[in-house]
Amino acid sequence: MSILIASMTPDRALEDSAISRAITKTAIALAGYRQLPVQQRLPLVDIVFMLPGSQERAQFTGLRIRGFDPTAQSLQFEAAVPDKMIGSAHAERYLIAVMQDAIDAGAEFFRDRQILFDHAEHMALSEALAEKPRYAVN
């Protein structure tokens, strides 16, 4: 798959948090889109969500590039999850926003290195993952 997500969970207490559930749900949804051509091409955008624990937390804020593996054509990002997102009802929207930031940063990174990357298709995929509002029809 061309977009991968994972989490770094320093405390077991976070395993059932809203953000952990959102990460799991989004990862499953991404796997459901693995048949799409955009998910079958390199390069990869790999995002690790760094959850804050009571004893351990990321020493940065926001999103940063962790590294690039030219052999695997994998650009790794780390996202420092803010404390307020742990139990937030907006955890899924936060994940999608971070994914879109990583896609934007990845597109720039790959463009600078003349590596083909379909920014529009990746953004469309992230938007397909976004939870759509549901309205009752009376």
Side-chain angles (χ1 to χ4, degrees), residues 18-19 21-23 25-26 85 88-99 129-132 134:
I19 193 72
R21 288 190 306 271
I23 291 167
K25 180 179 176 182
T26 304
M85 279 298 135
S88 176
H90 305 291
E92 287 182 46
R93 287 193 295 180
Y94 164 78
L95 290 179
I96 301 303
V98 170
M99 286 176 61
L129 296 170
E131 184 176 26
K132 306 293 183 224
R134 296 179 188 96

Side-chain angles (χ1 to χ4, degrees), residues 36-89:
L36 294 177
V38 70
Q39 282 287 77
Q40 297 178 5
R41 292 190 299 259
L42 295 177
L44 305 173
V45 173
D46 186 359
I47 308 162
V48 176
F49 291 90
M50 316 266 305
L51 279 60
S54 58
Q55 302 293 317
E56 186 178 342
R57 61 185 54 240
Q59 299 300 307
F60 64 98
T61 59
L63 181 72
R64 72 178 184 185
I65 292 176
R66 179 178 178 186
F68 178 65
D69 180 347
T71 304
Q73 291 289 291
S74 176
L75 180 60
Q76 300 95 28
F77 288 93
E78 293 175 329
V81 176
D83 290 338
K84 66 183 179 183
M85 279 298 135
I86 297 302
S88 176

